[in-house]
Amino acid sequence: MTEPGRPQSPQQNTRAGEFQQAWQGEFQQPQYWQEPPMNQMGERNAVESARRSYSRIGASFSVMIVVWMALVFVLGIGISMLHREAAHWMWVSLLVSDCSLYLVAVPLAYLMLKSVPEEPTRKFGMTFGELFEWFLVSLAIVFVGGLLGNALAALFSGGMAQNRLDNIVGGIPAWLNILAVVVVGPIVEEWLCRKQIIARVRRYGERLAIVVSALIFALFHLNLYQFFYAFGLGLVLGYIYMRTSQLKYTIGLHMAINFLGSVAGPFFSDWSDAHSAALESGEATGSALIMGVAAMLYILLYLVAVVAGAVLLIMKCRRLEFYVTPAQLPKGTACSCAFVNAGMGVFITLTVFGMVLALMNVM
């Protein structure tokens, strides 16, 4: 039960068994600078403080969603009045959406989040091998979550809904796709959904902070197609950030997943379609054959990685590490503190409503 990247002194090695059995002393909370005693009064204060903090976070993200959608609507009308056709160009819609979110809505949410103090923690490293294992785990989660999201979206919409992400990726230039989806998106989303959430509520319990961060991350996309794999991926990214307190690992992993989903996947899918079309027309050439073989190899490698990730996920679930935090909530109070409050209630309501509108092809 050692922390990833935590150096082991001789004293720590001799007391490893004591730490695993009793979780006592300095080893109980390796990432936290302070370990204040919690009496009954302290527990009550922690519960009230946690509820206020989670409500503030929910309110901040609610304001972000409302401002974001309002700006997209107003700017969309303005663009339609200036150039009717431009309002239907996907790259214009993406720029309007991202600029409204990143330049206005996110900074406004951050100003509100600042009132919730961060918990100072020590930072730890992660090897490339460990990060690659989590990458494989993430692939398995995204694969299964994507299947579930697609199935439920088709069920609830009668097969009429369309995945907005597919429309965006297929309707914008490749350079803009890489810039917006692979580079800017992961950086902002990890800074916002991992650091700004987890750093502010981890003191009330590590598991709860990870779950809330993942849920906000999933609901924030306003897309049922993405909800389940975004939630699962958010759990992985949240755990990595919890154990390292460094965004570079989660940003890198997030970028890799987005690159496969929005760049590599569509690229090899187009090659596969071109190969199939050439075979059907009877005009198969050497280049068409190469594209078909390359697409098949990519799919095979992807499926092998998904299976390996599923096996690793089972193994890692048995070795997850969580530590008692400075203001750990009493048993039975965590969920009510996180979700039974005005801010989180409004945020969940807004985002679920947004997903319903998206399924109806209104958004």
Side-chain angles (χ1 to χ4, degrees):
M1 297 284 293
T2 58
E3 193 70 17
R6 179 177 173 82
Q8 296 294 294
S9 66
Q11 181 182 8
Q12 290 172 334
N13 287 331
T14 58
R15 295 187 60 187
E18 178 184 351
F19 161 59
Q20 293 179 2
Q21 295 177 7
W23 287 47
Q24 297 294 322
E26 64 174 325
F27 304 99
Q28 186 177 9
Q29 298 168 351
Q31 283 193 279
Y32 301 98
W33 296 101
Q34 296 180 349
E35 186 181 332
M38 287 283 288
N39 53 27
Q40 187 174 5
M41 180 63 71
E43 290 182 352
R44 285 201 297 268
N45 291 338
V47 169
E48 292 304 317
S49 175
R51 182 172 283 108
R52 289 194 300 269
S53 296
Y54 278 110
S55 182
R56 185 70 174 182
I57 288 173
S60 302
F61 278 83
S62 298
V63 170
M64 183 187 73
I65 294 293
V66 171
V67 171
W68 178 25
M69 293 295 100
L71 282 175
V72 169
F73 178 75
V74 171
L75 291 176
I77 293 177
I79 293 173
S80 297
M81 295 175 62
L82 295 175
H83 195 296
R84 185 178 299 272
E85 293 183 1
H88 301 287
W89 295 345
M90 192 57 66
W91 69 269
V92 172
S93 299
L94 178 65
L95 287 178
V96 168
S97 177
D98 282 5
C99 289
S100 300
L101 177 62
Y102 299 148
L103 300 181
V104 181
V106 168
L108 183 60
Y110 173 66
L111 290 177
M112 297 180 63
L113 285 171
K114 287 178 65 176
S115 63
V116 181
E118 296 185 34
E119 179 68 26
T121 57
R122 299 180 179 94
K123 295 182 179 181
F124 297 98
M126 176 173 287
T127 66
F128 177 81
E130 291 172 324
L131 190 60
F132 183 72
E133 289 181 354
W134 283 116
F135 170 72
L136 295 178
V137 169
S138 300
L139 286 183
I141 291 175
V142 170
F143 181 79
V144 176
L147 292 178
L148 182 57
N150 289 341
L152 289 180
L155 177 64
F156 293 150
S157 67
M160 300 300 294
Q162 295 180 347
N163 190 345
R164 291 178 304 164
L165 183 61
D166 292 341
N167 296 333
I168 291 174
V169 170
I172 61 176
W175 67 268
L176 183 58
N177 181 22
I178 294 174
L179 177 63
V181 181
V182 181
V183 179
V184 178
I187 292 175
V188 176
E189 290 174 7
E190 290 308 306
W191 175 82
L192 183 64
C193 294
R194 241 58 64 186
K195 177 176 174 55
Q196 299 306 323
I197 296 177
I198 291 179
R200 286 175 162 77
V201 295
R202 66 187 300 168
R203 65 180 291 108
Y204 305 115
E206 292 188 343
R207 291 179 178 85
L208 181 62
I210 293 172
V211 170
V212 171
S213 170
L215 181 62
I216 290 177
F217 176 65
L219 290 172
F220 159 75
H221 287 82
L222 302 175
N223 189 351
L224 184 58
Y225 287 96
Q226 296 177 268
F227 175 80
F228 295 99
Y229 74 72
F231 179 72
L233 181 61
L235 293 176
V236 171
L237 296 172
Y239 181 77
I240 292 174
Y241 181 76
M242 183 69 72
R243 294 279 64 87
T244 64
S245 294
Q246 298 197 64
L247 279 179
K248 63 182 180 181
Y249 300 115
T250 64
I251 289 175
L253 182 55
H254 196 158
M255 285 181 172
I257 295 297
N258 280 15
F259 177 81
L260 287 182
S262 65
V263 179
F267 177 79
F268 284 105
S269 179
D270 290 342
W271 275 23
S272 179
D273 293 341
H275 173 69
S276 299
L279 290 178
E280 292 177 0
S281 64
E283 299 178 356
T285 61
S287 59
L289 178 61
I290 293 174
M291 288 191 294
V293 172
M296 291 179 61
L297 288 176
Y298 172 80
I299 294 173
L300 178 62
L301 182 61
Y302 183 85
L303 292 177
V304 170
V306 166
V307 173
V311 174
L312 281 171
L313 175 61
I314 297 173
M315 297 172 58
K316 285 184 173 294
C317 283
R318 301 173 181 175
R319 302 198 303 264
L320 297 179
E321 297 176 347
F322 298 98
Y323 300 97
V324 178
T325 56
Q328 186 81 34
L329 295 174
K331 291 183 178 180
T333 64
C335 288
S336 62
C337 286
F339 302 109
V340 185
N341 58 70
M344 287 297 294
V346 171
F347 173 74
I348 293 173
T349 301
L350 281 174
T351 51
V352 170
F353 182 66
M355 285 195 291
V356 172
L357 291 179
L359 281 178
M360 299 169 59
N361 296 320
V362 174
M363 295 180 62

